Amino acid sequence: MKTIDELLAEGVSGKRVFVRADLNVPLDGTSITDDGRIRAVQPTIARLAEAGARVVVASHLGRPKGAPDPAFSLAPAAKRLGELLGADVAFATDTVGDSARETVAGLADGQVAVLENLRFNAGETSKDDAERGAFADQLAELADLYVGDGFGAVHRKHASVFDLPARLPHAAGFLIATEVGVLKKLTDDVKRPYVVVLGGAKVSDKLAVIDRLLAKADRILIGGGMAYTFLKAQGHEVGISLLQEDQIPVVTEYMERAEKSGVELVLPVDILASSDFPDLKTKAPADFVTVDADKIPADKEGLDIGPRTRELYASKIADAETVFWNGPVGVFEHPDYAGGTQAIARALLNCDGFTVVGGGDSAAAVRTLGFDENAFGHISTGGGASLEYLEGKTLPGLAALED
């Protein structure tokens, strides 16, 4: 895989460089609530501009239905990118139409433009190779070189991620190079003890990675909504907690495999439970009780790990040489149920090993709860991509950048 340093050494001045970024940031109307992904790709864009490239940045945002939708416009992201670069950033109001062509043609050396949301064109996400390829052909007309730096999208076989690199000389940006280097430390060159913390809502989203990690990790700590399927598999009643009953046989098999292979599979010992899901808009005080994990009342739902579980999990993380965390362990968006996720973040900060926050909601939680991002070993920009890499899958966007 060619690096951006090699591309720069060959010279990019005066050339149109298409940067596939991940500007898929959360919005409240037109206000960005977390600009982490824009900040993550900014070094690549800045370095190309400094070298005299005419930088064409493209990304998706949200899930529009293959047609323009103002709610998913990249205009706020383009504005924020300009603020971070300290320079004007041009914005094309389409992807491959008149505005895109005119905007790119108007770039001088060292200037940057952002195209409108790639998913406003159905060809971007099409499962039909010909339709995707036709869109990639149109995108290729806008550039001379391609730099892949949208790690959060590399697990997608999309036109700008998979098909376009085949049409242009290509290289990996700084962010992708960093992300891949980190993931190799979690798969090929692991320092032990290796502790994995998995949370989030659905156990089905994590089954493949658990399957893989049972042969690699020393300890796997389970939290979030997915924990209740494990607790149910142990024979405990879980009240009205989130439960995927159809996954109980698989979860039971995984627990048996963990025991046989000597992997510690650690489940909550106490839970914050309530009969009412919290109001996440007003964040009104929640009405909850702390109960043993095997004594959740029939009319209550588990919404966070309890204080004894927080201490237990912190102790399991304390001596780790490598930690990977993906998924909050409670409804962190509400202050009364953020304590468990805060405890996991603090445990990572107190650990002397290499700590990785696996993108998605975990990264959002770290920022929302006010932790210093630089205090962690690495905060990924791609939760889904990270998990699929750890599952051992071939990621289309990385395969496309290989020479």
Side-chain angles (χ1 to χ4, degrees):
M1 182 182 297
K2 178 182 281 189
T3 67
I4 190 171
D5 286 326
E6 293 174 289
L7 193 70
L8 290 164
E10 293 171 359
V12 296
S13 181
K15 294 183 179 179
R16 301 168 301 164
V17 182
F18 188 104
V19 177
R20 200 337 177 155
D22 180 7
L23 308 180
N24 185 28
V25 292
L27 295 172
D28 181 4
T30 58
S31 299
I32 296 171
T33 58
D34 181 355
D35 68 353
R37 285 175 170 163
I38 304 175
R39 287 186 285 111
V41 76
Q42 187 261 347
T44 290
I45 296 169
R47 185 67 187 87
L48 288 166
E50 289 168 5
R54 303 178 182 191
V55 187
V56 181
V57 182
S59 175
H60 70 287
L61 191 151
R63 299 190 178 190
K65 306 297 184 181
D69 183 338
F72 297 106
S73 175
L74 277 173
K79 179 182 177 183
R80 180 60 182 144
L81 177 61
E83 292 170 352
L84 292 170
L85 292 172
D88 290 336
V89 168
F91 181 66
T93 57
D94 56 28
T95 53
V96 291
D98 291 342
S99 179
R101 289 190 294 269
E102 291 169 8
T103 300
V104 173
L107 290 176
D109 294 358
Q111 291 186 332
V112 178
V114 173
L115 304 181
E116 184 55 283
N117 193 334
L118 290 165
R119 291 186 183 175
F120 285 0
N121 189 304
E124 170 68 1
T125 59
S126 176
K127 296 187 184 304
D128 181 82
D129 291 347
E131 185 178 11
R132 247 189 9 259
F135 183 49
D137 287 339
Q138 290 179 293
L139 291 172
E141 293 176 4
L142 300 174
D144 306 301
L145 304 169
Y146 177 95
V147 171
D149 215 27
F151 181 74
V154 293
H155 58 314
R156 306 297 188 191
K157 192 176 181 181
H158 290 171
S160 66
V161 175
F162 178 74
D163 301 274
L164 184 55
R167 290 157 167 79
L168 295 169
H170 50 264
F174 295 130
L175 175 60
I176 279 187
T178 298
E179 294 273 14
V180 171
V182 166
L183 288 168
K184 286 182 177 178
K185 290 184 180 181
L186 300 177
T187 52
D188 302 334
D189 185 23
V190 181
K191 292 185 178 179
R192 300 184 180 278
Y194 180 17
V195 178
V196 176
V197 185
L198 295 176
K202 294 182 179 180
V203 68
S204 56
D205 293 341
K206 303 291 197 304
L207 286 178
V209 76
I210 294 172
D211 181 47
R212 188 85 169 182
L213 288 170
L214 283 171
K216 291 184 177 291
D218 298 298
R219 301 172 199 141
I220 301 176
L221 317 181
I222 304 292
M226 62 184 290
Y228 304 104
T229 302
F230 281 88
L231 292 170
K232 183 72 172 179
Q234 288 186 324
H236 306 312
E237 292 304 319
V238 297
I240 57 172
S241 303
L242 188 62
L243 175 65
Q244 290 186 283
E245 207 146 1
D246 61 323
Q247 302 298 333
I248 288 177
V250 181
V251 164
T252 301
E253 179 201 339
Y254 285 0
M255 290 192 292
E256 292 171 353
R257 279 175 53 196
E259 187 173 3
K260 288 178 183 176
S261 60
V263 176
E264 283 189 78
L265 189 60
V266 189
L267 299 179
V269 294
D270 62 343
I271 295 291
L272 269 58
S274 174
S275 55
D276 295 310
F277 194 82
D279 186 329
L280 299 181
K281 289 188 176 180
T282 66
K283 295 182 173 52
D287 179 20
F288 64 87
V289 293
T290 302
V291 298
D292 291 344
D294 60 353
K295 293 183 175 63
I296 300 175
D299 65 339
K300 296 192 186 299
E301 174 182 12
L303 295 167
D304 195 11
I305 58 173
R308 287 189 292 122
T309 304
R310 298 169 196 177
E311 291 181 9
L312 172 65
Y313 284 12
S315 72
K316 296 294 183 181
I317 293 169
D319 68 341
E321 288 294 328
T322 305
V323 186
F324 173 70
W325 171 31
N326 182 280
V329 296
V331 186
F332 75 92
E333 297 91 344
H334 191 283
D336 290 334
Y337 299 115
T341 301
Q342 287 174 326
I344 297 298
R346 277 194 295 268
L348 264 67
L349 293 179
N350 292 332
C351 172
D352 291 331
F354 180 59
T355 57
V356 180
V357 180
D361 287 340
S362 310
V366 163
R367 297 185 183 106
T368 299
L369 298 175
F371 289 95
D372 179 5
E373 296 176 54
N374 297 320
F376 297 89
H378 179 70
I379 297 181
S380 178
T381 57
S386 295
L387 287 178
E388 290 198 15
Y389 188 100
L390 293 180
E391 290 167 19
K393 291 183 177 180
T394 297
L395 305 188
L398 297 185
L401 294 176
E402 297 287 352
D403 291 324

